[in-house]
Amino acid sequence: MRIAHWFYTVPLRLRSLFRRETVESELEEELRFHLDHAVAEGLAKGLSPAEARRKALLALGGPELRRDDIRDARRVSWLLDFAADLRFASRSLRRTPVASAVVVVTLAFGIGMTATPFSMLDALILRPYPVPQPGEIVTLVGTTRDEGYAMFSYREYLDLRDRTRSYTGVVAQTGMRPVSFAADATATPRVKSGVLVSGNYFATLGVEPSAGRGFLAEEDAVPGRNPVTVVAHDFWTTELGGDPAAVGRTIRLNGEDFTVVGVAPESFPGMTIFNRPDVYVPLAMARRFSGDAARDFFEHRDARQLRVMARLAPGVGPSEAGGEVAALAAAFRREYPRESRGREAAVKTAFEVRTRGDANEWKFSVVFTVLGIGVLLVASTNVAGLLLSRARSRTREVAVRLALGAGRSRLVRFLLAESLILAGLGGALGVVVAYGGITYLREFDIPAELPVTIPFQLDGRVLAASLLIAGATALLCGLAPALQSTRADLVVGLKAADVEPPGRKRLWGRSALVVAQVALSLMLLASTFLMARSFRESVGSGLGFPMERLLAVRFDPRLVQYDADRTRHFYDQLLQRVEGAPGVLAASLAANPPLSIEGFDALSFVPDGYDLPEGRESFVSASDVVDARFLGTIGVPLVRGRAFAESDAADAPRVAIVNETFAERYWPGDDAVGKRIRLGGADGEPLEIVGIAQTVSFGEPGERRRDFVYLPLAQHPRPRLVLLVRTAGDPLQLVEPLREIVRAIDPNLPMLATRTIEDLYRYHAVEGPAIAVEMCGTMGVVGLLLAVTGLYGLVAYNVSRRTKEIGIRMAIGATPATALRLVMANGLALVGIGTVLGLALGVGVEKVLIASIFDAGGIDFVTYLVVVPALVAATVVAAWLPARRATRVAPTLALRHD
Amino acid sequence: MSKPNDLVLGTLDLLLLKILALQPLHGWAIGLRLRSLSNDVLQVSEGSLYPALHKLEQEGWICSEWKVTENNRRAKFYALTRLGRQQLESEAENWKRLSTAISHVVQLTEA
């Protein structure tokens, strides 16, 4: 019924809006018609034409008023009024172009600099999974004492899938790994990225392939039986030519033929934030891609490589599911005491997973969004101050409007129109600023071994957020001045052009603004300095080993289906030939290079004969598998004992080398050489420590000193290794000769990620922190500029307000200095309060930063020693410049000033 | 002319709808019709007439059309719509209930 109603009324209203002239003239005509008839009636009654007309007009009650009433009845008047307000506001803004431009630019910076880190925040935390009903997807994690987000093994996954009731489906996927891809048997293999997933992956997640289908449950049932693959959309366009007939084709992955059964839609780039897999393969094909040769992926309960996610059943919440999975974990502990000892399980929501304590990126994005909002607040307070002084100069105009009968809300709307335009323009420009900022961030190159996609983008959500911010800013800036000026006392307002609205409250407002600005910009600048200093410190401390002229090349012979013997043969050949190559000082093999983005292995062990604390089964240390030449090639000095030797072969007694920190921790004051540690647990395989190496920073420059254990490559063979080469000259010169060497050994074996350790160092030490510092610094400087201009405006305003008073004082004998003091005192007092507040804020922020991210110790006084005087100096100048004008006031002029 | 009292103002919509139900008319004629039908008791002031008509049109209860009168002049004629007829019925119903109740109270004999 209502809809039918609308069918009729909406066109009518639209007509009132858009065909206004027609409607107006029709109204005119209708009333004239009426008037003529009323006059005719009067004439018929015997009145004179003039009297008849007068009577008719009286009866009608004044056409203009009637027309207004009628227009109101049409219920679109507010829209028309608003349009008129906007036009008027834009005219008055155009009259002061510089001030308006400054405001727009200020707001643009504030909005843009909030939207940019917000895009980071959105990508890292807020954006939902790219599947239908993303809120139902949870992640199941294992928890141990040392790890909060552990993975599961294949057997554990099967149990989780079959022995729980809380989910409509449980899926599993491995981490992304390199996959050798060839379009057919004759093509040279190239390296792409792949992920192994369970058969129900696409079905449970609700991903509809854009071509073909997802996996079927039976394709994942028998290990090795179904070589099928679903390819990603980008892979399909670039590698398979976007050919619709690609479904059904076979491609070669890791040397075996796989049939393409489907293409993932463009809307589904994967479930992880930074990694986008090129191909999806069923878990059943794991032996083809397995990461750990020693433990059988399907059988061993402790071969944990799977990330398990699930879709909650309708009506089931995460806590309920969490209880169920915890009970299941207890069952595991009972049924498999060896593998599942000390392992619990939990259910984590997407938010929890993304905000886990051990990741830093999201913390940065939160900090920067908050800082961005800080800048926006400063900008807004500045604009509000400007608008307040504008409102003040229009007191007379406002009083006149009020006297003519404008409602207060109408006036407020009218005054808000100005701030809306400013915020609108600022918002539009801010989007441009944000676009620039995000583009800048995206060009950031992360030197990881597999391509990392930076998912920040100026998408609809960020845009909507920016517009929301702009709107909120408009309200913030405009509402206070608008409300205040309409409270004016009419009589006083009409009499004087420049009138002081009653009450001390107004002074409070402006003063609070200045104080807030000073405090906020102090906090921003202090934070910038703190960050810059702590980054520089962590960088300046060096790594502990020389990082120049060190090349790292990754190899993975599993991509060409080498077995253990062929792998060993390959690496032996490689080392031999590389060592003999010109320009090579030393070469070595290791499982992970120093400063690797992927990090190091985690080794769990028990020092022999050590008294473990209550409830602990073992300790964990970072570790790496290296060959005998490693320490020499990298340049890590040996403090005691010996390095690995040829004698530490596969059949020799097991040995290990530890670093100083490790030795100090477990055998303080004693010599660690000769002591033993047991792998895995108190009854694990024993290793004898044969050497102690100096502690160096392998993970990140300036990292906290941590334990490190080196294991000999001969005793722990790995297929996937990094070749580290110390060169005499530029390491990149060696890349082509190296390629020749590899090609001579096997033309089908690809060289994976190739980079210099110096590049990695620069990424860790310079580029990452540089961005952070640049962003914070920019915000701080902008904040300071805003504070300075705000203070300037306030003092200038004070001067103009008190010109008469100053003139009188000078006329009766005050010196210019006194006048100066009079005007500046207030401003400087505000700066003082603001500084104190800013210090308090800054210290608070510093504490938060230290606690969550940095390793800096204690409050950094140097920062404040630099920032505070700079701020005070700037603000004093800002106050002095307009104050000077006061002293030059000619008393006669001032006395006449109205 | 005496101003119509409050009660009649509130029922202006009802009266206008009923008049238009009888026959489509333009504004001036509506005023005449109302006076004649009620024997001069109900006189709507022109000040209230047109806003009320426009409001009724906005609500979709009456529609308008420019036609030529007998005197060959253009005038805006209003007519009742289907929605308006429904509204008329419901308002008439309300009025009957209200007026019955008022009459009943007023006619009670005083003690």
Side-chain angles (χ1 to χ4, degrees):
Chain A
M1 222 295 244
R2 284 293 292 178
I3 320 281
H5 186 113
W6 277 45
F7 255 127
Y8 188 76
T9 56
V10 168
L12 209 60
R13 302 239 175 108
L14 287 177
R15 190 161 175 268
S16 307
L17 261 179
F18 294 112
R19 314 278 312 280
R20 270 205 345 265
E21 280 113 45
T22 324
V23 172
E24 292 288 314
S25 66
E26 278 184 8
L27 186 58
E28 178 96 33
E29 200 176 340
E30 192 176 4
L31 288 175
R32 222 178 331 121
F33 180 85
H34 183 105
L35 209 60
D36 289 344
H37 278 261
V39 169
E41 192 186 54
L43 284 176
K45 288 218 186 102
L47 301 166
S48 73
E51 263 208 44
R53 191 167 179 81
R54 197 179 128 265
K55 203 152 171 242
L57 277 173
L58 268 177
L60 198 54
E64 196 49 58
L65 269 174
R66 289 292 82 76
R67 266 184 252 159
D68 258 344
D69 280 340
I70 295 175
R71 274 188 221 123
D72 278 343
R74 277 198 239 123
R75 304 230 205 116
V76 292
S77 47
W78 70 266
L79 204 61
L80 294 171
D81 287 339
F82 192 60
D85 288 346
L86 283 179
R87 262 179 291 141
F88 186 88
S90 67
R91 265 209 312 269
S92 75
L93 283 175
R94 253 182 286 151
R95 256 185 274 130
T96 54
V98 173
S100 310
V102 166
V103 167
V104 168
V105 167
T106 307
L107 284 177
F109 262 107
I111 293 174
M113 298 189 85
T114 309
T116 307
F118 179 76
S119 77
M120 240 198 285
L121 195 73
D122 183 49
L124 293 177
I125 302 181
L126 298 174
R127 209 181 287 165
Y129 289 127
V131 298
Q133 269 94 49
E136 296 172 353
I137 308 279
V138 291
T139 308
L140 278 63
V141 297
T143 57
T144 64
R145 176 189 230 91
D146 305 306
E147 258 189 290
Y149 288 82
M151 299 203 269
F152 291 104
S153 63
Y154 186 73
R155 294 252 145 223
E156 285 174 331
Y157 160 65
L158 291 178
D159 284 339
L160 285 168
R161 187 188 64 186
D162 301 330
R163 288 162 71 170
T164 54
R165 292 200 193 307
S166 310
Y167 316 105
T168 58
V170 183
V171 303
Q173 66 176 74
T174 62
M176 206 159 84
R177 48 195 60 189
V179 168
S180 116
F181 155 73
D184 52 54
T186 57
T188 320
R190 268 169 308 126
V191 178
K192 292 284 166 185
S193 58
V195 152
L196 293 126
V197 299
S198 54
N200 56 358
Y201 189 74
F202 295 104
T204 303
L205 289 177
V207 176
E208 279 297 317
S210 63
R213 57 173 176 82
F215 294 133
L216 304 168
E218 56 259 24
E219 280 170 337
D220 197 27
V222 175
R225 183 183 65 178
N226 298 81
V228 292
T229 174
V230 171
V231 300
H233 191 268
D234 286 346
F235 180 86
W236 175 62
T237 20
T238 52
E239 300 293 342
L240 303 180
D243 183 11
V247 175
R249 262 177 68 172
T250 42
I251 57 176
R252 279 206 144 212
L253 298 175
N254 279 10
E256 183 175 335
D257 282 326
F258 277 76
T259 315
V260 177
V261 296
V263 178
E266 199 169 358
S267 58
F268 183 74
M271 295 295 282
T272 46
I273 297 178
F274 289 107
N275 297 321
R276 299 189 174 189
D278 290 315
V279 296
Y280 297 87
V281 170
L283 283 175
M285 303 305 298
R287 288 214 186 91
R288 211 80 200 150
F289 304 91
S290 182
D292 194 338
R295 293 187 285 190
D296 192 26
F297 176 78
F298 295 107
E299 295 308 318
H300 288 211
R301 282 191 82 88
D302 47 2
R304 297 191 169 93
Q305 297 176 38
L306 293 177
R307 196 167 139 224
V308 176
M309 300 209 277
R311 187 182 279 284
L312 288 170
V316 179
S319 48
E320 203 183 316
E324 185 188 33
V325 84
L328 192 55
F332 287 169
R333 286 197 297 278
R334 275 196 314 274
E335 297 161 18
Y336 306 97
R338 189 178 63 88
E339 294 94 339
S340 301
R341 187 167 12 188
R343 299 189 89 93
E344 312 267 348
V347 168
K348 301 276 182 192
T349 60
F351 183 75
E352 288 170 322
V353 169
R354 286 175 179 171
T355 55
R356 50 200 272 191
D358 54 347
N360 274 339
E361 296 86 5
W362 70 270
K363 288 179 194 161
F364 269 116
S365 69
V366 170
V367 167
F368 278 113
T369 307
V370 169
L371 284 179
I373 294 182
V375 169
L376 188 62
L377 281 176
V378 174
S380 302
T381 52
N382 215 5
V383 171
L386 256 161
L387 289 177
L388 264 177
S389 46
R390 283 175 75 104
R392 202 180 158 285
S393 63
R394 295 162 71 175
T395 322
R396 190 180 236 168
E397 177 198 339
V398 168
V400 169
R401 284 178 187 257
L402 279 171
L404 279 177
R408 184 142 177 249
S409 65
R410 176 84 182 73
L411 264 185
V412 169
R413 248 189 315 162
F414 166 69
L415 292 170
L416 265 180
E418 243 184 39
S419 62
L420 259 168
I421 294 184
L422 289 171
L425 287 173
L429 201 60
V431 167
V432 172
V433 170
Y435 184 72
I438 292 175
T439 315
Y440 172 64
L441 280 179
R442 292 188 73 164
E443 278 162 11
F444 195 36
D445 182 33
I446 300 183
E449 304 224 353
L450 281 174
V452 169
T453 4
I454 301 190
F456 320 139
Q457 58 194 72
L458 191 68
D459 60 7
R461 296 157 61 89
V462 175
L463 216 61
S466 313
L467 292 177
L468 214 73
I469 296 171
T473 312
L475 272 181
L476 202 76
C477 298
L479 204 60
L483 282 175
Q484 231 172 53
S485 40
T486 50
R487 243 188 290 149
D489 181 350
L490 279 185
V491 174
V492 184
L494 283 171
K495 270 204 285 192
D498 232 357
V499 136
E500 180 138 342
R504 306 274 317 156
K505 270 189 170 178
R506 212 194 91 262
L507 270 172
W508 262 106
R510 291 299 296 272
S511 312
L513 278 177
V514 172
V515 168
Q517 284 174 105
V518 172
L520 276 171
S521 49
L522 179 60
M523 180 199 85
L524 285 170
L525 288 173
S527 307
T528 312
F529 259 73
L530 172 70
M531 288 177 126
R533 279 173 60 81
S534 76
F535 279 131
R536 213 164 353 110
E537 260 166 33
S538 71
V539 161
S541 56
L543 292 171
F545 63 89
M547 64 168 125
E548 306 82 16
R549 295 189 297 277
L550 193 57
L551 186 69
V553 184
R554 170 74 70 188
F555 292 97
D556 194 344
R558 290 173 308 178
L559 292 178
V560 286
Q561 309 311 312
Y562 278 13
D563 61 15
D565 279 335
R566 254 186 109 178
T567 305
R568 202 162 9 103
H569 180 75
F570 164 72
Y571 282 122
D572 286 342
Q573 286 271 298
L574 184 67
L575 262 184
Q576 221 176 55
R577 295 187 192 203
V578 168
E579 276 181 337
V584 172
L585 293 176
S588 131
L589 293 166
N592 300 296
L595 297 181
S596 141
I597 311 276
E598 285 78 15
F600 293 94
D601 307 333
L603 184 75
S604 59
F605 64 93
V606 174
D608 210 7
Y610 205 85
D611 265 330
L612 289 165
E614 195 58 51
R616 271 206 96 105
E617 293 292 329
S618 61
F619 295 107
V620 174
S621 165
S623 96
D624 201 2
V625 172
V626 304
D627 70 359
R629 299 175 193 70
F630 181 80
L631 294 173
T633 310
I634 301 293
V636 179
L638 210 56
V639 173
R640 296 184 59 84
R642 64 170 180 84
F644 293 136
E646 298 298 336
S647 55
D648 299 313
D651 44 2
R654 311 310 244 179
V655 296
I657 296 178
V658 302
N659 69 353
E660 283 176 308
T661 314
F662 188 101
E664 260 308 300
R665 191 193 302 276
Y666 295 106
W667 295 281
D670 200 358
D671 184 8
V673 176
K675 302 278 187 298
R676 304 170 98 92
I677 59 174
R678 286 180 178 270
L679 288 182
D683 47 4
E685 187 185 9
L687 305 176
E688 182 181 337
I689 299 178
V690 296
I692 304 179
Q694 195 172 74
T695 303
V696 296
S697 302
F698 267 158
E700 276 189 347
E703 66 180 5
R704 257 184 279 224
R705 304 169 79 75
R706 54 170 173 163
D707 300 343
F708 209 87
V709 177
Y710 302 90
L711 298 173
L713 182 57
Q715 295 179 348
H716 303 265
R718 294 278 180 87
R720 189 166 174 266
L721 294 175
V722 166
L723 174 72
L724 293 155
V725 184
R726 176 78 69 184
T727 59
D730 180 11
L732 292 171
Q733 295 290 335
L734 200 61
V735 175
E736 266 316 303
L738 203 57
R739 221 186 285 273
E740 284 303 313
I741 293 176
V742 174
R743 217 181 312 214
I745 305 177
D746 182 348
N748 282 327
L749 188 65
M751 264 167 59
L752 305 178
T754 304
R755 47 176 53 92
T756 65
I757 300 296
E758 200 165 4
D759 272 345
L760 283 173
Y761 173 76
R762 218 174 313 131
Y763 161 72
H764 278 289
V766 174
E767 282 165 10
I771 285 200
V773 172
E774 271 168 30
M775 277 188 84
C776 198
T778 313
M779 289 203 262
V781 167
V782 170
L784 179 63
L785 279 174
L786 296 177
V788 158
T789 48
L791 188 61
Y792 182 100
L794 178 66
V795 175
Y797 175 78
N798 264 343
V799 167
S800 66
R801 195 164 52 86
R802 302 173 74 172
T803 312
K804 197 176 200 169
E805 180 194 338
I806 295 174
I808 294 176
R809 281 179 192 262
M810 287 184 65
I812 53 178
T815 62
T818 321
L820 208 71
R821 210 173 353 114
L822 199 68
V823 176
M824 278 179 71
N826 175 257
L828 291 180
L830 294 177
V831 169
I833 301 175
T835 311
V836 169
L837 264 177
L839 278 170
L841 266 175
V843 167
V845 166
E846 213 178 314
K847 286 238 153 72
V848 168
L849 282 177
I850 289 177
S852 62
I853 303 176
F854 301 121
D855 212 11
I859 312 267
D860 187 2
F861 286 114
V862 178
T863 303
Y864 292 107
L865 281 177
V866 171
V867 172
V868 171
L871 187 87
V872 171
T875 45
V876 165
V877 168
W880 179 68
L881 281 173
R884 252 184 354 151
R885 260 193 285 133
T887 63
R888 301 220 215 94
V889 166
T892 41
L893 271 171
L895 285 169
R896 247 188 282 146
H897 182 92
D898 212 40
Chain B
M1 284 174 215
S2 60
K3 223 169 171 252
N5 56 32
D6 284 345
L7 201 55
V8 178
L9 261 181
T11 53
L12 184 59
D13 290 353
L14 174 60
L15 293 169
L16 289 176
L17 286 174
K18 185 64 189 184
I19 290 184
L20 289 175
L22 299 175
Q23 164 191 17
L25 291 171
H26 57 70
W28 175 255
I30 293 175
L32 284 180
R33 201 76 199 281
L34 190 57
R35 259 187 298 173
S36 72
L37 281 177
S38 65
N39 288 328
D40 270 356
V41 173
L42 301 171
Q43 286 155 5
V44 56
S45 76
E46 286 102 45
S48 340
L49 176 63
Y50 285 98
L53 281 173
H54 280 259
K55 188 189 88 172
L56 291 178
E57 192 181 5
Q58 287 289 317
E59 294 285 349
W61 297 330
I62 61 179
C63 60
S64 62
E65 206 186 332
W66 284 89
K67 292 215 274 252
V68 178
T69 66
E70 312 91 53
N71 307 341
N72 256 332
R73 286 201 55 187
R74 237 169 65 102
K76 198 171 183 188
F77 279 78
Y78 294 94
L80 198 64
T81 64
R82 194 171 43 88
L83 272 174
R85 192 165 289 281
Q86 287 166 351
Q87 181 71 10
L88 172 58
E89 275 160 21
S90 88
E91 281 208 28
E93 193 56 49
N94 280 342
W95 170 253
K96 210 159 71 165
R97 263 188 312 127
L98 192 63
S99 59
T100 313
I102 294 178
S103 310
H104 177 79
V105 170
V106 163
Q107 279 159 16
L108 290 172
T109 48
E110 294 159 29

